[in-house]
Amino acid sequence: MQNQQNQNLQGSSQMPAQQSHGGHELFDAHEAIGGLVGGMEQCLLYEQHIQDPELKTMSQQHKTFLTQTYNTIVETLKTGQEPAVKTQTYNMAQGNNVVYGMQPSQPKTPAQSVNELNDECISSFMMGNLKASASSFTMTALEATNPVLRRVFADSIPNLIEMAYEVFLYQNKNQYYQVPQLKQEDMQNYINSYAPVQGTMPH
């Protein structure tokens, strides 16, 4: 009986690569891929409404990069092996300058027609899709059993973060996403509210 259990355990670990996925992992991967597809398809709708050439270029670059990411993930899911095209690195075009402070602006209301959709709306949609994908990719990577698929999802997360940060910088530059700050003394109180643990560094 013990030998039979050992054989069963050994057999389960020597599964063909394309079958080496747990059920929970497949559910998470399916949801993550579906969310990515939804974001890519929405890009097709947005492009015709984008006014700013800079935002249009960014959207197209994101779509091209995410298409390769999609292909890499799908191939890895199907084969369980190293993909032909490894996870790439996205390099944003924006600088890292953030404009701090609030400027008065008109209160916003939801658009009532497609014609009211503007670059502020579209950049916000782009940000929402990237944040959703970053979250679902993280959840998938945390519990994936196939090591290659896990790494592909995990290695893709920094790219989604970089793209979302690029959108944030674009929004911030155009005052779509303003960044309030605390008073100087309040900020310092928060910054100084923690101190390092002493004596933990290796010698």
Side-chain angles (χ1 to χ4, degrees), residues 46 111 116-126 171 176:
Y46 304 155
E116 294 178 52
L117 296 178
N118 55 26
D119 292 342
E120 181 175 4
C121 298
I122 292 164
S123 62
S124 181
F125 301 156
M126 290 167 64
Q171 292 178 309
Y176 303 153

Side-chain angles (χ1 to χ4, degrees), residues 20-37 69-70 73-74 76-78 133 135-146 148-150 152-153:
S20 61
H21 299 293
H24 189 83
E25 165 186 6
L26 288 175
F27 298 148
D28 282 352
H30 191 272
E31 186 173 341
I33 295 168
L36 179 62
V37 168
T69 300
Y70 167 83
I73 292 170
V74 168
T76 306
L77 180 67
K78 287 182 179 301
S133 282
S135 295
S136 63
F137 277 35
T138 301
M139 292 301 292
T140 302
L142 291 173
E143 299 186 68
T145 57
N146 180 283
V148 185
L149 185 65
R150 184 196 66 77
V152 167
F153 273 113

Side-chain angles (χ1 to χ4, degrees), residues 2-17:
Q2 185 67 38
N3 285 343
Q4 186 179 357
Q5 287 177 342
N6 288 341
Q7 285 173 352
N8 288 341
L9 288 172
Q10 288 172 354
S12 67
S13 66
Q14 295 169 354
M15 201 179 286

Side-chain angles (χ1 to χ4, degrees), residues 14 16 29 40 49 55 61 73 107 120 122 140 167 175 193 197 202:
Q14 295 169 354
M40 291 164 59
H49 299 289
L55 184 60
Q61 288 171 339
I73 292 170
E120 181 175 4
I122 292 164
T140 302
V167 174
Q175 295 189 345
S193 60
V197 176

